[in-house]
Amino acid sequence: MKETLFTMTMGLGIMVLAAQQVQASTCAPREDVMKRLAETYGETRRSIGIARQGAVMEIYASDQTGSWTITVTLPDGITCLVASGQAYEAMVEALPPNI
């Protein structure tokens, strides 16, 4: 389980770093991105975290369509799409204690 959690954390870190290098075609002002995710895909924010250099990572998803999107918002207010997909499923699991 520790290996899986480590792998997932590393993968998310790589995505956040990649978001800082994405082309302008996948980035827009945050308000525009949020509006499009809500109106076009019915997605709402499900989680949030602080990334390097003051960036904010968020996951949006829709229970109705199963679509999901990971975004990174930079300190200047520009939001970049990092990844998106289908079959979103919310999970609540207790992590095992550190031994």
Side-chain angles (χ1 to χ4, degrees), residues 2 11 16-19 24 26 29 34 37 42 44-45 52 54 60-62 70-72 84 86 88 90-91 96 98:
K2 285 184 181 180
V16 169
L17 290 173
T26 58
M34 302 308 106
L37 291 177
T44 58
R45 186 170 59 188
R52 292 177 57 176
Y60 290 80
S62 169
I70 298 174
T71 66
V72 172
S84 63
Q86 296 296 317
Y88 177 82
M91 299 178 68
N98 291 334

Side-chain angles (χ1 to χ4, degrees), residues 5-53:
L5 184 58
F6 177 75
T7 302
M8 291 173 57
T9 302
M10 288 300 295
L12 185 56
I14 290 169
M15 288 189 296
V16 169
L17 290 173
Q20 296 175 355
Q21 303 299 321
V22 293
Q23 297 176 356
S25 63
T26 58
C27 300
R30 186 174 190 284
E31 291 180 17
D32 296 346
V33 173
M34 302 308 106
K35 183 177 179 181
R36 178 160 183 157
L37 291 177
E39 292 179 359
T40 304
Y41 302 101
E43 295 180 4
T44 58
R45 186 170 59 188
R46 302 305 175 96
S47 60
I48 188 170
I50 303 298
R52 292 177 57 176
Q53 300 176 351

